[in-house]
Amino acid sequence: MLIRSALQNCLATVLVVAAAHAQAQSGAPVYRCPGPPVLYTDALSAKEAAAQGCRTIEGTPITVMQTSKPRPAGSGSGSAAAPSAASAGSEAQRVEPGQQRSRDGERRRVLETELREAEERLAAAQRELASNSERRGDERNYQRYLDRMLELKANVSRQESDVQALKREISKLP
């Protein structure tokens, strides 16, 4: 008995799929169904589409927009006009060597100033950690002491990473 009902369900499913496939190939209307993911389908019957609140989009103009693919810099397109136009654009963006040196020098000065300030903040954080390493009277709960020490150590760690990052940036400069 179970095999018979399972076989009937399987046969019904095959028939529904075959009918939907035949309907899709016969030019069935395309429906736009609302929902969080808007669904465009031609696999629904008119009754199912009406039940789900779907509307047919036959006769509705469909706009397909193609985006232009950006050309990679430095690749030739095969025409003689494109490389000359690209080189003219890159020359307009070029900076004079003297001006670039002054920009690099200014950047180095700013980074060195930031480095000095970061090193001062690191030294202050290390002093604070060393001077506040003992348990205070208001920390009867040992966990409060551990939390305070963890916060001080995290501050020192942050300052150390800032100093290292600034040193890396300075080392990258010409």
Side-chain angles (χ1 to χ4, degrees):
M1 188 74 163
L2 281 173
I3 297 174
R4 185 180 215 179
S5 66
L7 195 59
Q8 287 175 343
N9 287 340
C10 183
L11 183 60
T13 304
V14 169
L15 289 174
V16 168
V17 170
H21 183 67
Q23 184 181 15
Q25 287 188 346
S26 67
V30 177
Y31 296 99
R32 180 183 186 271
C33 299
V38 176
L39 177 67
Y40 293 91
T41 183
D42 62 350
L44 297 175
S45 68
K47 200 175 197 181
E48 292 171 329
Q52 293 181 10
C54 302
R55 288 183 283 146
T56 181
I57 61 169
E58 286 181 336
T60 306
I62 297 175
T63 304
V64 177
M65 298 177 64
Q66 290 183 338
T67 60
S68 60
K69 294 181 183 177
R71 253 185 278 165
S75 68
S77 62
S79 67
S84 64
S87 65
S90 65
E91 295 212 8
Q93 295 175 356
R94 285 224 170 133
V95 179
E96 300 271 333
Q99 187 180 14
Q100 185 63 44
R101 276 194 298 275
S102 69
R103 287 181 184 177
D104 291 342
E106 179 65 24
R107 183 163 186 241
R108 180 178 294 278
R109 281 191 295 278
V110 168
L111 286 173
E112 287 173 349
T113 303
E114 287 182 20
L115 178 62
R116 278 194 301 277
E117 292 171 358
E119 287 173 338
E120 290 171 5
R121 287 191 304 267
L122 173 62
Q126 288 172 335
R127 281 193 304 273
E128 185 178 4
L129 177 64
S131 66
N132 291 328
S133 63
E134 292 186 21
R135 198 167 164 189
R136 298 187 307 211
D138 64 340
E139 295 172 331
R140 292 183 187 179
N141 184 349
Y142 188 64
Q143 187 61 45
R144 285 187 182 174
Y145 167 74
L146 292 177
D147 291 342
R148 183 174 57 89
M149 293 308 295
L150 185 65
E151 187 176 321
L152 291 173
K153 289 177 183 177
N155 187 23
V156 169
S157 176
R158 264 193 313 273
Q159 299 302 328
E160 286 174 344
S161 67
D162 287 348
V163 168
Q164 291 171 355
L166 286 167
K167 286 181 179 179
R168 276 194 308 271
E169 284 296 315
I170 290 173
S171 71
K172 291 178 186 177
L173 291 175

